[in-house]
Amino acid sequence: MIFENHNPLEGKVFQILDKTGKVINEKYYKDIDSDLLLKMYRCMVLSRIQDEWALKFQRQGRMLTFPPTLGQEGLQVASMAACRNDDWLVPAFRSNAAWLYKGLPMKNIFLYWCGNEMGSKIPEHINMLPVAISIGTQFSHATGIGMSFKYTKEDKVVVTYIGDGGTSEGEFYEAINFAGVENAPVIFIIQNNQFAISTSVKSQTKAKTLAQKGIAAGIPSIKVDGNDIFAMYFATKEAVENARSGNGPSLIEAVTYRQGPHTTADDPTIYRTEEEHLDGMSKDPIIRTKNFLIEKGILTEKDETKMREECKKIVFEEFEKVEQEKVTPLEDIFKYTYEEMTENLKEQYEEAKKWEGGRN
């Protein structure tokens, strides 16, 4: 009943934990298994540390352009935790925590952002698509997969993410509209991180909420505190159960804050004020979750310190593996667009070989 009781047209935001980690909504608060909570928290910390070091690696010239997930770990991990392993993830490009929780090897993530397309080769036991850079396309892909499950009567659900800026794209509207018409089992999650590159939400739309755009498509929609793992977990769980029961798609606007730059090519100080930044940082999902876990006796400061050391070790070990990989074969850049390279691509490949000094 979470969706029914939080109409986005009224501007209501579903929240269970406040920014200090205190439970403020007893009506919807339910215990989550301690092991699951620790798994979620560890994944958030791992993603945060990976992002922090990826930024450093990129500045050192060891990686290409990179979009950090800093600040958005809570909504991704909580929504993934509400799904089953056989459900599908259709990501955009700022989905580091979701990838890790889903089980994608960190090595794959680093490979991709180092320009090696082998990072896009998803292990067969992991139900997810590769990175979608073109804004909004992942929503159409998710709708198509959801429709296939309906036709084949597979008991699976699809979860997909988009940024606030992506809701201004045509594919956003086409996908949610088609999913609604076809009753596809898809959960659309808007990562409202306040800024689409350098454009604030208030400069993108006059809609009171982004969630109400789902109402226009006739699908259940809700605005959730995306930095509250309990609110995101239970809202997503309700949406997933609804979809699995044959009741079609849902849309969740997860209000969060992008702590870092849009990508490593961006300088957010140009378009964000210090006041806005400090306010966003005060709602950090990791700090909020840590406070809750410590208060409940599920985690200690000593445990947390050890966890961070282990996560940092993993990050360095995985990146070292990537740096030892051979350079991506030039042919790989051309041969995977079609089943067989077209004549035009063959010509481009031959030209590229000359430009690369005969590199194969």
Side-chain angles (χ1 to χ4, degrees), residues 119-176:
S120 294
K121 186 175 181 180
I122 310 299
E124 292 195 11
H125 67 283
I126 299 176
N127 291 345
M128 65 172 281
L129 295 190
V131 174
I133 295 293
S134 300
I135 307 299
T137 55
Q138 70 276 13
F139 263 37
S140 296
H141 300 155
T143 294
I145 294 173
M147 289 170 59
S148 76
F149 292 157
K150 179 186 173 185
Y151 296 145
T152 58
K153 302 188 186 309
E154 291 184 69
D155 182 30
K156 297 176 183 176
V157 171
V158 187
V159 173
T160 185
Y161 303 95
I162 199 168
D164 44 283
T167 64
S168 298
E169 292 285 337
E171 291 220 36
F172 167 81
Y173 294 98
E174 293 156 6
I176 64 174

Side-chain angles (χ1 to χ4, degrees), residues 28-286:
Y28 294 99
Y29 170 73
K30 298 176 184 176
D31 286 333
I32 298 178
D33 180 77
S34 295
D35 289 339
L36 177 57
L37 281 173
L38 285 173
K39 178 183 177 182
M40 291 165 67
Y41 183 69
R42 185 182 184 280
C43 186
M44 292 165 66
V45 171
L46 180 61
S47 178
R48 175 71 60 91
I49 292 175
Q50 181 190 357
D51 271 354
E52 290 172 345
W53 278 98
L55 286 167
K56 297 174 183 177
F57 295 149
Q58 195 279 335
R59 298 307 188 206
Q60 294 168 358
R62 299 161 72 184
M63 282 178 58
L64 302 179
T65 302
F66 174 74
T69 306
L70 298 169
Q72 300 174 214
E73 301 92 350
L75 77 90
Q76 292 184 10
V77 167
S79 52
M80 282 292 97
C83 300
R84 293 194 322 222
N85 287 337
D86 62 342
D87 290 329
W88 276 76
L89 165 62
V90 181
F93 55 85
R94 196 185 311 280
S95 306
N96 199 66
W99 294 328
L100 291 173
Y101 197 90
K102 189 66 175 171
L104 184 67
M106 187 181 291
K107 178 183 175 182
N108 284 55
I109 301 171
F110 276 138
L111 277 173
Y112 180 83
W113 295 117
C114 284
N116 190 327
E117 283 297 337
M118 291 308 294
S120 294
K121 186 175 181 180
I122 310 299
E124 292 195 11
H125 67 283
I126 299 176
N127 291 345
M128 65 172 281
L129 295 190
V131 174
I133 295 293
S134 300
I135 307 299
T137 55
Q138 70 276 13
F139 263 37
S140 296
H141 300 155
T143 294
I145 294 173
M147 289 170 59
S148 76
F149 292 157
K150 179 186 173 185
Y151 296 145
T152 58
K153 302 188 186 309
E154 291 184 69
D155 182 30
K156 297 176 183 176
V157 171
V158 187
V159 173
T160 185
Y161 303 95
I162 199 168
D164 44 283
T167 64
S168 298
E169 292 285 337
E171 291 220 36
F172 167 81
Y173 294 98
E174 293 156 6
I176 64 174
N177 185 65
F178 221 90
V181 170
E182 295 295 327
N183 214 41
V186 185
I187 314 304
F188 299 103
I189 298 179
I190 301 170
Q191 299 187 101
N192 182 358
N193 57 32
Q194 311 305 310
F195 289 91
I197 305 182
S198 57
T199 305
S200 66
V201 174
K202 62 184 178 183
S203 298
Q204 295 178 52
T205 180
K206 290 193 72 173
K208 189 173 183 179
T209 68
L210 299 179
Q212 70 191 64
K213 296 185 177 187
I215 299 294
I219 64 179
S221 303
I222 188 174
K223 184 174 183 178
V224 176
D225 181 344
N227 291 340
D228 174 352
I229 64 166
F230 279 87
M232 275 303 300
Y233 178 83
F234 289 117
T236 306
K237 194 170 183 62
E238 181 173 293
V240 167
E241 291 173 352
N242 192 53
R244 213 181 298 283
S245 298
N247 296 318
S250 297
L251 183 144
I252 299 172
E253 175 189 352
V255 182
T256 184
Y257 179 71
R258 192 189 75 219
Q259 294 184 9
H262 176 73
T263 70
T264 46
D266 173 44
D267 179 6
T269 63
I270 295 174
Y271 54 83
R272 289 196 312 213
T273 67
E274 183 66 15
E275 291 75 21
E276 288 173 328
H277 183 59
L278 290 174
D279 179 62
M281 295 292 284
S282 72
K283 301 167 185 175
D284 190 305
I286 290 182

Side-chain angles (χ1 to χ4, degrees), residues 294-342:
I294 288 179
E295 182 184 352
K296 295 295 181 180
I298 299 172
L299 181 74
T300 65
E301 289 285 0
K302 184 178 180 180
D303 292 336
E304 213 261 351
T305 298
K306 181 180 178 182
M307 180 187 295
R308 286 182 174 275
E309 291 172 350
E310 292 173 347
C311 288
K312 183 178 177 180
K313 184 173 183 289
I314 291 171
V315 170
F316 274 82
E317 288 176 346
E318 293 301 297
F319 192 69
E320 183 179 0
K321 293 177 187 176
V322 170
E323 291 198 303
Q324 292 174 352
E325 288 278 325
K326 293 181 179 179
V327 177
T328 306
L330 181 62
E331 187 182 13
D332 285 2
I333 299 172
F334 300 89
K335 73 178 184 181
Y336 293 119
T337 303
Y338 299 98
E339 184 177 4
E340 294 183 6
M341 277 200 287
T342 62

